[in-house]
Amino acid sequence: KPEYRKFCEENQCGCYNVNPACPPECGTVETMKQRVFAYEKALILQTIQSKDMDYKMAKLAHNKLTEQLASKIMESGNTDLLIMSAG
């Protein structure tokens, strides 16, 4: 959502100019929208945090599993991936 970009510019999550999926490297909202809509399929992954796991541990576990899955997909020959996350 374009209105969320102000949170990025204020670096409220600490990822501004650090994570390639975040501004400014990811491009404008319109650029991001065009990239996403170029794909015909999406796979949405969700991690449900257990009571004995804090947020950072859950996020790290989710990211590691996502990276492992992406590696397997690329090994099978499909290298055109766009990985996005929200948290």
Side-chain angles (χ1 to χ4, degrees):
K1 292 188 165 227
E3 52 270 20
Y4 291 170
R5 184 54 69 105
K6 68 179 177 185
F7 301 120
C8 296
E9 292 167 358
E10 293 170 358
N11 199 24
Q12 290 193 15
C13 72
C15 292
Y16 186 84
N17 207 23
V18 174
N19 185 338
C22 295
E25 193 171 338
C26 67
T28 65
V29 172
E30 188 57 38
T31 299
M32 293 172 68
K33 186 176 179 180
Q34 289 173 356
R35 284 186 69 198
V36 168
F37 286 133
Y39 289 88
E40 293 180 12
K41 297 178 185 177
L43 173 63
I44 299 171
L45 307 172
Q46 177 183 12
T47 297
I48 298 173
Q49 181 178 336
S50 64
K51 292 179 182 179
D52 62 333
M53 185 181 283
D54 70 11
Y55 171 76
K56 287 184 181 183
M57 286 176 54
K59 183 70 172 166
L60 180 61
H62 178 88
N63 289 348
K64 284 183 178 183
L65 288 171
T66 301
E67 289 170 8
Q68 289 172 1
L69 178 60
S71 292
K72 290 201 178 289
I73 292 170
M74 288 189 284
E75 287 170 9
S76 73
N78 187 351
T79 58
D80 187 20
L81 301 176
L82 175 61
I83 298 174
M84 301 174 70
S85 67

